Amino acid sequence: MSTPSDIAAIHRSFRTVGSALMRVNLNNTHSGNMSCRDPQDPDRFWVTASGSQCGNLAARDIVQVRFSDMSWESPARPSSETNTHRRVLSLPGVNACVHCHSIAGTLLGFESPQEPVFLLRLEPPGTGRGDGLFRPMDLWGAGLVGSVTVGTYKSTVGSAEMEERIPGYLRQAPLTIVTGHGPFARGENLEECLHHLSVLENSAAAAIALRRRGIDTLAIQHTLRTHGPHPALPLPPRRLGCGDLLPDPAADAATRPDFAYWLSYHFNFGLGAFGTGSMSRKLSAEEMLFCPMSAAPDGVEVPLYRMPLRAAQPEAADVRLHRLIYAHTPFTACILAFSPLATAEGLAALTAAEGTGALNGKSSPIERTPERHPMVVPIDAEAVYYKVRLPVAGLDALVPGPAENRIPELLRFGDGCCLIAGCGVIAAGEENLGQAAYRVSLAERIARFRHEVDINHRLIGGPPASAFE
Protein backbone atom coordinates (compact mmCIF):
# COMPACT_ATOMS: atom_id res chain seq x y z
CA MET A 1 0.00 0.00 0.00
CA SER A 2 1.31 3.45 -0.89
CA THR A 3 2.22 5.79 1.95
CA PRO A 4 0.87 9.37 2.16
CA SER A 5 4.30 10.72 1.15
CA ASP A 6 4.33 8.50 -1.96
CA ILE A 7 0.84 9.63 -2.91
CA ALA A 8 1.79 13.29 -2.42
CA ALA A 9 4.80 12.86 -4.72
CA ILE A 10 2.64 11.14 -7.36
CA HIS A 11 0.03 13.88 -7.22
CA ARG A 12 2.74 16.56 -7.43
CA SER A 13 4.21 14.95 -10.57
CA PHE A 14 0.75 14.72 -12.21
CA ARG A 15 0.07 18.39 -11.47
CA THR A 16 3.49 19.56 -12.71
CA VAL A 17 3.32 17.68 -16.00
CA GLY A 18 -0.38 18.38 -16.59
CA SER A 19 0.13 22.10 -16.03
CA ALA A 20 3.17 22.13 -18.34
CA LEU A 21 1.22 20.39 -21.12
CA MET A 22 -1.51 23.01 -21.00
CA ARG A 23 0.83 26.02 -20.77
CA VAL A 24 2.53 25.15 -24.07
CA ASN A 25 -0.75 24.16 -25.77
CA LEU A 26 -0.03 20.44 -25.96
CA ASN A 27 -3.46 20.07 -24.35
CA ASN A 28 -6.46 22.32 -23.90
CA THR A 29 -8.17 22.75 -20.55
CA HIS A 30 -9.64 19.25 -20.23
CA SER A 31 -8.01 17.13 -22.94
CA GLY A 32 -5.43 14.35 -22.74
CA ASN A 33 -4.74 11.81 -20.02
CA MET A 34 -1.79 10.56 -17.96
CA SER A 35 -0.87 7.49 -15.95
CA CYS A 36 1.95 6.02 -13.88
CA ARG A 37 2.61 2.82 -11.99
CA ASP A 38 2.30 2.83 -8.22
CA PRO A 39 5.89 2.55 -6.91
CA GLN A 40 4.83 0.46 -3.91
CA ASP A 41 2.06 -1.76 -5.25
CA PRO A 42 2.73 -3.67 -8.50
CA ASP A 43 -0.99 -4.38 -8.97
CA ARG A 44 -1.96 -0.69 -9.04
CA PHE A 45 -1.50 2.31 -11.27
CA TRP A 46 -2.71 5.90 -11.22
CA VAL A 47 -4.57 7.57 -14.09
CA THR A 48 -6.33 10.88 -14.61
CA ALA A 49 -10.12 10.87 -14.25
CA SER A 50 -12.46 11.16 -17.20
CA GLY A 51 -13.23 14.82 -17.92
CA SER A 52 -10.64 16.11 -15.47
CA GLN A 53 -8.87 19.41 -16.02
CA CYS A 54 -5.42 18.16 -16.95
CA GLY A 55 -3.78 21.56 -16.44
CA ASN A 56 -5.18 22.04 -12.94
CA LEU A 57 -5.55 18.61 -11.37
CA ALA A 58 -6.88 18.09 -7.85
CA ALA A 59 -6.33 14.97 -5.76
CA ARG A 60 -9.81 13.69 -6.69
CA ASP A 61 -8.83 13.83 -10.40
CA ILE A 62 -6.15 11.14 -10.04
CA VAL A 63 -7.64 7.66 -9.73
CA GLN A 64 -5.93 4.49 -8.47
CA VAL A 65 -6.78 1.42 -10.61
CA ARG A 66 -5.95 -2.27 -10.28
CA PHE A 67 -4.07 -3.96 -13.12
CA SER A 68 -5.69 -7.31 -12.38
CA ASP A 69 -9.38 -6.42 -12.72
CA MET A 70 -9.50 -2.69 -13.66
CA SER A 71 -11.43 -1.89 -10.49
CA TRP A 72 -11.06 1.45 -8.69
CA GLU A 73 -12.19 3.03 -5.45
CA SER A 74 -12.98 6.64 -6.19
CA PRO A 75 -16.00 8.85 -6.86
CA ALA A 76 -14.37 9.78 -10.16
CA ARG A 77 -14.30 7.47 -13.17
CA PRO A 78 -10.92 6.72 -14.79
CA SER A 79 -10.19 8.09 -18.26
CA SER A 80 -11.91 6.41 -21.19
CA GLU A 81 -8.44 5.41 -22.42
CA THR A 82 -7.42 3.68 -19.20
CA ASN A 83 -7.30 0.27 -20.90
CA THR A 84 -4.68 1.56 -23.32
CA HIS A 85 -2.67 3.03 -20.44
CA ARG A 86 -2.87 -0.28 -18.59
CA ARG A 87 -1.40 -2.12 -21.59
CA VAL A 88 1.36 0.44 -22.09
CA LEU A 89 2.32 0.37 -18.40
CA SER A 90 2.67 -3.40 -18.68
CA LEU A 91 5.58 -3.03 -21.12
CA PRO A 92 9.04 -3.81 -19.65
CA GLY A 93 10.69 -0.76 -18.11
CA VAL A 94 7.67 1.51 -18.63
CA ASN A 95 6.38 3.33 -15.57
CA ALA A 96 4.40 6.19 -17.12
CA CYS A 97 2.28 7.07 -20.15
CA VAL A 98 0.97 10.44 -21.38
CA HIS A 99 -1.48 11.16 -24.20
CA CYS A 100 -1.91 14.72 -25.41
CA HIS A 101 -3.60 16.65 -28.23
CA SER A 102 -0.62 18.64 -29.50
CA ILE A 103 -1.16 20.76 -32.62
CA ALA A 104 1.93 20.20 -34.79
CA GLY A 105 2.36 16.54 -33.85
CA THR A 106 -1.28 15.76 -34.63
CA LEU A 107 -1.19 17.82 -37.82
CA LEU A 108 1.39 15.44 -39.30
CA GLY A 109 -1.32 12.81 -39.78
CA PHE A 110 -3.73 14.98 -41.76
CA GLU A 111 -2.68 13.84 -45.22
CA SER A 112 -3.67 11.42 -47.96
CA PRO A 113 -1.72 8.14 -48.24
CA GLN A 114 -1.81 8.64 -52.00
CA GLU A 115 -0.16 12.06 -51.75
CA PRO A 116 2.07 12.06 -48.64
CA VAL A 117 3.34 15.40 -47.41
CA PHE A 118 5.06 14.73 -44.10
CA LEU A 119 5.01 10.95 -43.66
CA LEU A 120 6.91 8.08 -45.20
CA ARG A 121 4.36 5.37 -46.03
CA LEU A 122 4.91 2.01 -44.37
CA GLU A 123 3.09 0.11 -47.12
CA PRO A 124 1.73 0.91 -50.58
CA PRO A 125 -1.68 2.67 -50.57
CA GLY A 126 -4.60 0.25 -50.44
CA THR A 127 -2.59 -2.69 -49.11
CA GLY A 128 -2.87 -2.09 -45.38
CA ARG A 129 -4.02 0.32 -42.68
CA GLY A 130 -2.30 3.34 -44.21
CA ASP A 131 0.14 3.86 -41.32
CA GLY A 132 2.93 6.38 -41.86
CA LEU A 133 6.31 7.18 -40.34
CA PHE A 134 7.60 10.59 -39.32
CA ARG A 135 11.37 10.98 -39.23
CA PRO A 136 12.51 14.22 -37.51
CA MET A 137 15.02 16.22 -39.54
CA ASP A 138 16.54 18.18 -36.67
CA LEU A 139 19.37 16.95 -34.47
CA TRP A 140 17.28 16.76 -31.30
CA GLY A 141 14.33 14.89 -32.76
CA ALA A 142 16.55 12.52 -34.73
CA GLY A 143 18.69 11.74 -31.70
CA LEU A 144 16.08 11.69 -28.91
CA VAL A 145 12.84 10.58 -30.57
CA GLY A 146 13.81 8.76 -33.78
CA SER A 147 11.11 7.41 -36.08
CA VAL A 148 7.50 7.93 -34.94
CA THR A 149 4.73 5.70 -36.29
CA VAL A 150 1.50 7.53 -37.17
CA GLY A 151 -1.27 4.95 -36.98
CA THR A 152 -4.69 5.04 -38.65
CA TYR A 153 -7.55 3.60 -36.55
CA LYS A 154 -11.22 2.94 -37.25
CA SER A 155 -12.06 4.38 -33.84
CA THR A 156 -9.65 6.90 -32.35
CA VAL A 157 -10.85 7.38 -28.76
CA GLY A 158 -10.46 4.60 -26.19
CA SER A 159 -11.05 1.78 -28.68
CA ALA A 160 -10.05 -1.86 -28.38
CA GLU A 161 -8.00 -1.41 -31.55
CA MET A 162 -5.95 1.33 -29.88
CA GLU A 163 -5.52 -0.83 -26.80
CA GLU A 164 -4.15 -3.59 -29.00
CA ARG A 165 -1.87 -1.65 -31.36
CA ILE A 166 -0.47 1.30 -29.39
CA PRO A 167 1.55 -0.81 -26.92
CA GLY A 168 3.17 -2.59 -29.89
CA TYR A 169 4.36 0.72 -31.36
CA LEU A 170 5.55 1.95 -27.96
CA ARG A 171 7.49 -1.26 -27.42
CA GLN A 172 9.72 -0.13 -30.31
CA ALA A 173 9.86 3.64 -29.74
CA PRO A 174 9.01 6.22 -27.04
CA LEU A 175 6.23 7.81 -29.11
CA THR A 176 3.41 7.00 -31.48
CA ILE A 177 0.71 9.23 -32.98
CA VAL A 178 -2.97 8.39 -33.47
CA THR A 179 -4.09 10.00 -36.72
CA GLY A 180 -6.32 12.97 -36.04
CA HIS A 181 -6.14 12.48 -32.28
CA GLY A 182 -2.59 13.03 -31.01
CA PRO A 183 0.53 11.34 -29.66
CA PHE A 184 1.07 8.81 -26.86
CA ALA A 185 4.40 8.75 -25.03
CA ARG A 186 5.85 6.23 -22.62
CA GLY A 187 8.74 6.64 -20.21
CA GLU A 188 10.31 5.89 -16.86
CA ASN A 189 8.25 8.71 -15.33
CA LEU A 190 5.80 11.44 -16.33
CA GLU A 191 8.59 13.98 -16.79
CA GLU A 192 10.29 11.77 -19.38
CA CYS A 193 6.99 11.45 -21.26
CA LEU A 194 6.69 15.25 -21.27
CA HIS A 195 10.26 15.45 -22.60
CA HIS A 196 9.45 13.14 -25.52
CA LEU A 197 6.22 14.99 -26.36
CA SER A 198 7.94 18.38 -26.20
CA VAL A 199 10.75 17.28 -28.54
CA LEU A 200 8.24 15.76 -30.97
CA GLU A 201 6.17 18.95 -31.07
CA ASN A 202 9.21 21.12 -31.86
CA SER A 203 10.44 18.64 -34.48
CA ALA A 204 7.00 18.54 -36.10
CA ALA A 205 6.71 22.34 -36.06
CA ALA A 206 10.16 22.66 -37.68
CA ALA A 207 9.29 20.07 -40.36
CA ILE A 208 5.97 21.74 -41.17
CA ALA A 209 7.62 25.15 -41.44
CA LEU A 210 10.36 23.74 -43.65
CA ARG A 211 7.85 22.09 -45.99
CA ARG A 212 5.89 25.32 -46.23
CA ARG A 213 9.12 27.03 -47.30
CA GLY A 214 9.23 24.71 -50.31
CA ILE A 215 11.79 22.18 -49.05
CA ASP A 216 11.17 18.52 -50.00
CA THR A 217 11.07 17.13 -46.47
CA LEU A 218 10.10 13.64 -47.64
CA ALA A 219 13.34 13.37 -49.64
CA ILE A 220 15.32 14.32 -46.54
CA GLN A 221 13.39 11.78 -44.44
CA HIS A 222 14.11 9.05 -47.00
CA THR A 223 17.83 9.87 -46.79
CA LEU A 224 17.81 9.82 -43.00
CA ARG A 225 15.94 6.52 -42.92
CA THR A 226 18.43 4.98 -45.35
CA HIS A 227 21.67 6.36 -43.94
CA GLY A 228 20.76 7.07 -40.33
CA PRO A 229 20.28 10.41 -38.60
CA HIS A 230 22.92 12.93 -39.59
CA PRO A 231 25.97 10.83 -40.53
CA ALA A 232 28.26 13.25 -38.75
CA LEU A 233 25.96 13.73 -35.70
CA PRO A 234 28.45 16.03 -33.98
CA LEU A 235 26.54 16.82 -30.80
CA PRO A 236 24.81 13.63 -29.63
CA PRO A 237 21.79 14.83 -27.66
CA ARG A 238 21.92 14.05 -23.97
CA ARG A 239 18.93 11.99 -22.90
CA LEU A 240 16.93 13.32 -20.00
CA GLY A 241 18.46 12.12 -16.73
CA CYS A 242 21.13 10.07 -18.52
CA GLY A 243 24.05 12.44 -18.83
CA ASP A 244 27.78 12.21 -19.13
CA LEU A 245 28.44 14.99 -16.62
CA LEU A 246 30.20 14.44 -13.35
CA PRO A 247 27.76 14.19 -10.41
CA ASP A 248 28.85 17.48 -8.87
CA PRO A 249 25.89 19.87 -8.96
CA ALA A 250 26.65 23.43 -7.98
CA ALA A 251 25.22 24.73 -4.73
CA ASP A 252 24.82 28.31 -5.93
CA ALA A 253 21.64 29.61 -4.34
CA ALA A 254 22.13 33.13 -5.72
CA THR A 255 22.46 32.07 -9.38
CA ARG A 256 20.02 29.15 -9.56
CA PRO A 257 16.85 31.34 -9.71
CA ASP A 258 18.23 33.14 -12.78
CA PHE A 259 18.71 29.82 -14.59
CA ALA A 260 15.28 28.62 -13.44
CA TYR A 261 13.60 31.77 -14.77
CA TRP A 262 15.07 31.47 -18.27
CA LEU A 263 14.52 27.71 -18.41
CA SER A 264 10.83 28.31 -17.71
CA TYR A 265 10.70 31.27 -20.11
CA HIS A 266 12.08 29.25 -23.01
CA PHE A 267 9.71 26.35 -22.33
CA ASN A 268 6.57 28.44 -21.86
CA PHE A 269 7.11 30.50 -25.01
CA GLY A 270 8.09 27.60 -27.25
CA LEU A 271 11.72 28.70 -27.62
CA GLY A 272 13.02 25.25 -26.75
CA ALA A 273 11.84 21.72 -26.10
CA PHE A 274 12.03 20.42 -22.54
CA GLY A 275 15.36 18.70 -21.93
CA THR A 276 17.11 19.98 -25.08
CA GLY A 277 19.89 22.50 -25.53
CA SER A 278 22.05 23.93 -22.75
CA MET A 279 22.93 27.20 -21.06
CA SER A 280 25.85 28.50 -19.02
CA ARG A 281 27.35 31.48 -17.21
CA LYS A 282 31.06 32.21 -17.10
CA LEU A 283 32.02 32.78 -13.47
CA SER A 284 35.71 33.53 -13.90
CA ALA A 285 38.64 32.73 -16.14
CA GLU A 286 38.60 29.30 -14.53
CA GLU A 287 34.96 28.27 -14.04
CA MET A 288 31.46 28.31 -15.49
CA LEU A 289 28.02 27.26 -14.29
CA PHE A 290 26.52 24.81 -16.77
CA CYS A 291 22.92 23.61 -17.16
CA PRO A 292 22.40 20.59 -19.45
CA MET A 293 19.20 22.01 -21.00
CA SER A 294 17.80 25.38 -22.03
CA ALA A 295 14.08 24.77 -21.49
CA ALA A 296 12.15 23.20 -18.62
CA PRO A 297 8.74 23.77 -17.01
CA ASP A 298 8.19 25.16 -13.54
CA GLY A 299 8.31 22.50 -10.87
CA VAL A 300 10.83 20.21 -12.59
CA GLU A 301 14.16 20.08 -10.81
CA VAL A 302 17.04 20.81 -13.20
CA PRO A 303 20.70 20.15 -12.36
CA LEU A 304 23.29 22.92 -12.40
CA TYR A 305 27.01 22.15 -12.49
CA ARG A 306 30.08 24.17 -11.56
CA MET A 307 32.67 23.19 -14.15
CA PRO A 308 36.25 24.18 -15.08
CA LEU A 309 36.73 26.12 -18.30
CA ARG A 310 39.83 24.14 -19.14
CA ALA A 311 39.09 20.98 -21.09
CA ALA A 312 38.76 17.83 -19.03
CA GLN A 313 38.29 14.19 -19.92
CA PRO A 314 35.79 12.91 -20.65
CA GLU A 315 34.39 16.12 -22.18
CA ALA A 316 30.74 16.24 -23.20
CA ALA A 317 30.23 17.69 -26.68
CA ASP A 318 28.01 20.59 -25.61
CA VAL A 319 30.27 21.40 -22.66
CA ARG A 320 33.13 21.66 -25.16
CA LEU A 321 31.07 24.11 -27.22
CA HIS A 322 30.46 26.44 -24.25
CA ARG A 323 34.13 26.29 -23.26
CA LEU A 324 35.13 27.11 -26.83
CA ILE A 325 32.91 30.21 -26.88
CA TYR A 326 34.31 31.51 -23.61
CA ALA A 327 37.87 30.87 -24.74
CA HIS A 328 37.54 32.80 -28.02
CA THR A 329 34.94 35.54 -27.38
CA PRO A 330 34.28 38.21 -24.72
CA PHE A 331 30.81 36.76 -23.96
CA THR A 332 30.01 35.61 -20.42
CA ALA A 333 26.67 33.82 -20.98
CA CYS A 334 25.60 31.31 -23.61
CA ILE A 335 22.39 29.50 -24.60
CA LEU A 336 21.92 26.74 -27.16
CA ALA A 337 18.18 26.50 -27.88
CA PHE A 338 16.03 24.28 -30.10
CA SER A 339 13.70 27.05 -31.34
CA PRO A 340 11.55 25.43 -34.04
CA LEU A 341 10.99 28.23 -36.57
CA ALA A 342 14.56 29.50 -36.29
CA THR A 343 15.71 25.92 -36.83
CA ALA A 344 13.55 25.67 -39.96
CA GLU A 345 14.64 29.07 -41.29
CA GLY A 346 18.28 28.10 -40.85
CA LEU A 347 17.66 24.83 -42.69
CA ALA A 348 15.91 26.68 -45.53
CA ALA A 349 18.75 29.22 -45.85
CA LEU A 350 21.41 26.51 -45.91
CA THR A 351 19.45 24.48 -48.46
CA ALA A 352 19.10 27.52 -50.71
CA ALA A 353 22.86 28.06 -50.57
CA GLU A 354 24.20 24.51 -50.71
CA GLY A 355 21.40 22.07 -51.57
CA THR A 356 19.70 19.40 -49.47
CA GLY A 357 22.97 17.50 -48.96
CA ALA A 358 23.91 20.16 -46.42
CA LEU A 359 21.01 19.03 -44.20
CA ASN A 360 22.39 15.51 -43.84
CA GLY A 361 25.49 16.50 -41.92
CA LYS A 362 27.78 16.72 -44.96
CA SER A 363 30.56 19.29 -44.79
CA SER A 364 30.25 22.38 -46.91
CA PRO A 365 32.27 22.18 -50.14
CA ILE A 366 33.10 25.86 -49.63
CA GLU A 367 35.53 27.10 -47.02
CA ARG A 368 33.48 30.00 -45.70
CA THR A 369 34.46 33.08 -43.76
CA PRO A 370 31.68 34.42 -41.48
CA GLU A 371 30.80 37.01 -44.13
CA ARG A 372 30.32 34.30 -46.75
CA HIS A 373 28.03 32.07 -44.69
CA PRO A 374 24.34 31.84 -45.64
CA MET A 375 22.41 34.54 -43.83
CA VAL A 376 18.87 34.89 -42.50
CA VAL A 377 17.99 38.54 -43.07
CA PRO A 378 15.42 40.14 -40.76
CA ILE A 379 12.43 41.96 -42.23
CA ASP A 380 10.76 43.24 -39.05
CA ALA A 381 11.48 46.76 -37.82
CA GLU A 382 12.92 45.89 -34.40
CA ALA A 383 15.51 43.47 -35.76
CA VAL A 384 16.37 45.88 -38.60
CA TYR A 385 16.72 48.76 -36.12
CA TYR A 386 19.18 46.77 -34.02
CA LYS A 387 21.07 45.73 -37.18
CA VAL A 388 20.61 42.05 -36.39
CA ARG A 389 22.09 39.50 -38.81
CA LEU A 390 21.88 35.74 -38.40
CA PRO A 391 24.70 33.81 -40.07
CA VAL A 392 23.88 30.14 -40.67
CA ALA A 393 26.20 27.15 -40.39
CA GLY A 394 25.56 23.47 -40.91
CA LEU A 395 25.92 20.74 -38.31
CA ASP A 396 29.47 20.16 -39.52
CA ALA A 397 30.42 23.44 -37.82
CA LEU A 398 30.02 21.67 -34.46
CA VAL A 399 32.43 18.85 -35.29
CA PRO A 400 35.74 19.11 -33.37
CA GLY A 401 38.70 19.58 -35.66
CA PRO A 402 40.38 22.19 -37.81
CA ALA A 403 37.22 24.29 -38.12
CA GLU A 404 36.37 24.22 -34.43
CA ASN A 405 36.58 28.02 -34.07
CA ARG A 406 33.78 28.66 -36.58
CA ILE A 407 31.04 29.09 -33.97
CA PRO A 408 32.88 31.81 -31.98
CA GLU A 409 33.59 33.60 -35.27
CA LEU A 410 29.93 33.46 -36.24
CA LEU A 411 28.84 34.74 -32.82
CA ARG A 412 31.15 37.72 -33.10
CA PHE A 413 29.96 38.42 -36.63
CA GLY A 414 26.29 38.02 -35.67
CA ASP A 415 26.60 40.25 -32.62
CA GLY A 416 26.03 37.36 -30.24
CA CYS A 417 23.68 35.16 -32.26
CA CYS A 418 23.89 32.60 -35.06
CA LEU A 419 21.85 29.68 -36.40
CA ILE A 420 22.99 26.09 -36.73
CA ALA A 421 20.82 24.47 -39.40
CA GLY A 422 19.21 21.38 -37.90
CA CYS A 423 20.15 22.35 -34.35
CA GLY A 424 18.71 25.75 -33.50
CA VAL A 425 20.01 29.02 -32.11
CA ILE A 426 23.28 29.74 -30.35
CA ALA A 427 23.03 33.05 -28.50
CA ALA A 428 25.45 34.76 -26.16
CA GLY A 429 25.38 37.66 -23.72
CA GLU A 430 28.09 40.08 -22.73
CA GLU A 431 26.96 40.29 -19.11
CA ASN A 432 24.07 37.95 -18.28
CA LEU A 433 21.71 35.18 -19.41
CA GLY A 434 18.95 37.69 -20.11
CA GLN A 435 20.93 39.13 -23.02
CA ALA A 436 21.43 35.69 -24.50
CA ALA A 437 17.74 34.84 -23.98
CA TYR A 438 16.72 38.06 -25.73
CA ARG A 439 18.75 37.03 -28.77
CA VAL A 440 17.14 33.58 -28.80
CA SER A 441 13.67 35.13 -28.77
CA LEU A 442 14.71 37.70 -31.39
CA ALA A 443 15.96 34.94 -33.73
CA GLU A 444 12.70 33.00 -33.37
CA ARG A 445 10.66 36.15 -34.02
CA ILE A 446 12.72 37.03 -37.10
CA ALA A 447 11.97 33.52 -38.38
CA ARG A 448 8.27 33.88 -37.52
CA PHE A 449 7.86 37.09 -39.53
CA ARG A 450 9.69 35.61 -42.52
CA HIS A 451 7.62 32.42 -42.26
CA GLU A 452 4.26 34.22 -42.14
CA VAL A 453 5.15 36.61 -44.97
CA ASP A 454 6.23 33.65 -47.09
CA ILE A 455 2.90 31.87 -46.44
CA ASN A 456 1.02 35.03 -47.47
CA HIS A 457 3.14 35.18 -50.61
CA ARG A 458 2.37 31.57 -51.54
CA LEU A 459 -1.33 31.52 -50.62
CA ILE A 460 -2.78 34.99 -51.19
CA GLY A 461 -0.29 36.66 -53.52
CA GLY A 462 1.44 38.94 -51.04
CA PRO A 463 5.00 40.13 -51.68
CA PRO A 464 7.82 37.69 -50.87
CA ALA A 465 10.00 38.08 -47.81
CA SER A 466 12.89 39.17 -50.04
CA ALA A 467 10.92 42.34 -50.87
CA PHE A 468 11.41 43.54 -47.30
CA GLU A 469 15.06 42.62 -46.82
Side-chain angles (χ1 to χ4, degrees), residues 168-289:
Y169 294 140
L170 292 181
R171 185 177 290 108
Q172 306 298 324
L175 288 155
T176 186
I177 298 172
V178 177
T179 298
H181 187 48
F184 281 78
R186 51 87 167 159
E188 292 185 4
N189 49 52
L190 291 173
E191 288 78 10
E192 185 177 61
C193 294
L194 173 64
H195 166 60
H196 291 145
L197 292 166
S198 182
V199 173
L200 171 64
E201 187 69 358
N202 273 34
S203 293
I208 292 168
L210 195 61
R211 183 75 183 209
R212 288 173 176 172
R213 293 280 277 106
I215 306 300
D216 188 352
T217 53
L218 285 179
I220 299 170
Q221 290 188 67
H222 276 294
T223 300
L224 294 178
R225 191 181 184 193
T226 302
H227 300 291
H230 303 293
L233 197 65
L235 188 68
R238 178 181 292 106
R239 295 192 176 278
L240 191 70
C242 301
D244 46 7
L245 301 176
L246 298 176
D248 183 25
D252 195 321
T255 309
R256 186 173 291 277
D258 191 35
F259 278 81
Y261 177 86
W262 293 115
L263 285 161
S264 175
Y265 174 86
H266 283 135
F267 177 78
N268 290 341
F269 288 94
L271 298 174
F274 169 38
T276 64
S278 53
M279 62 170 64
S280 68
R281 278 293 317 274
K282 182 179 179 181
L283 296 178
S284 68
E286 303 296 327
E287 281 189 316
M288 69 174 172
L289 282 177

Side-chain angles (χ1 to χ4, degrees), residues 442-464:
L442 194 62
E444 183 73 356
R445 187 149 297 203
I446 288 169
R448 168 69 70 178
F449 282 119
R450 291 185 61 91
H451 176 76
E452 297 294 342
V453 168
D454 187 71
I455 290 177
N456 287 345
H457 170 63
R458 293 171 184 271
L459 293 183
I460 58 178

Side-chain angles (χ1 to χ4, degrees), residues 19 56 97 135 215 235 242 360 374 423 436 441 444 447-448 454 461 466:
S19 174
N56 188 26
C97 178
R135 189 81 190 230
I215 306 300
L235 188 68
C242 301
N360 299 326
C423 180
S441 63
E444 183 73 356
R448 168 69 70 178
D454 187 71
S466 59

Side-chain angles (χ1 to χ4, degrees), residues 41-250:
D41 187 344
D43 188 41
R44 293 181 185 272
F45 65 99
W46 299 81
V47 67
T48 47
S50 180
S52 59
Q53 188 176 345
C54 192
N56 188 26
L57 292 168
R60 64 179 178 276
D61 299 321
I62 306 168
V63 182
Q64 196 177 49
V65 182
R66 284 190 179 275
F67 277 102
S68 55
D69 59 9
M70 293 294 289
S71 63
W72 70 91
E73 297 178 4
S74 171
R77 180 169 56 86
S79 165
S80 60
E81 292 172 327
T82 297
N83 282 340
T84 300
H85 283 267
R86 171 177 172 264
R87 291 285 303 277
V88 173
L89 294 175
S90 299
L91 296 173
V94 174
N95 294 316
C97 178
V98 175
H99 165 54
C100 73
H101 296 182
S102 57
I103 301 297
T106 304
L107 186 60
L108 293 173
F110 285 101
E111 64 174 36
S112 165
Q114 289 74 27
E115 297 181 7
V117 178
F118 299 111
L119 303 181
L120 303 171
R121 307 318 304 185
L122 295 180
E123 63 276 313
T127 62
R129 292 185 295 249
D131 290 355
L133 194 72
F134 172 62
R135 189 81 190 230
M137 287 158 282
D138 60 276
L139 181 147
W140 308 103
L144 296 172
V145 170
S147 297
V148 180
T149 300
V150 181
T152 301
Y153 300 81
K154 293 180 180 179
S155 178
T156 58
V157 179
S159 67
E161 184 187 11
M162 291 171 61
E163 180 185 349
E164 179 66 28
R165 289 170 54 194
I166 286 175
Y169 294 140
L170 292 181
R171 185 177 290 108
Q172 306 298 324
L175 288 155
T176 186
I177 298 172
V178 177
T179 298
H181 187 48
F184 281 78
R186 51 87 167 159
E188 292 185 4
N189 49 52
L190 291 173
E191 288 78 10
E192 185 177 61
C193 294
L194 173 64
H195 166 60
H196 291 145
L197 292 166
S198 182
V199 173
L200 171 64
E201 187 69 358
N202 273 34
S203 293
I208 292 168
L210 195 61
R211 183 75 183 209
R212 288 173 176 172
R213 293 280 277 106
I215 306 300
D216 188 352
T217 53
L218 285 179
I220 299 170
Q221 290 188 67
H222 276 294
T223 300
L224 294 178
R225 191 181 184 193
T226 302
H227 300 291
H230 303 293
L233 197 65
L235 188 68
R238 178 181 292 106
R239 295 192 176 278
L240 191 70
C242 301
D244 46 7
L245 301 176
L246 298 176
D248 183 25

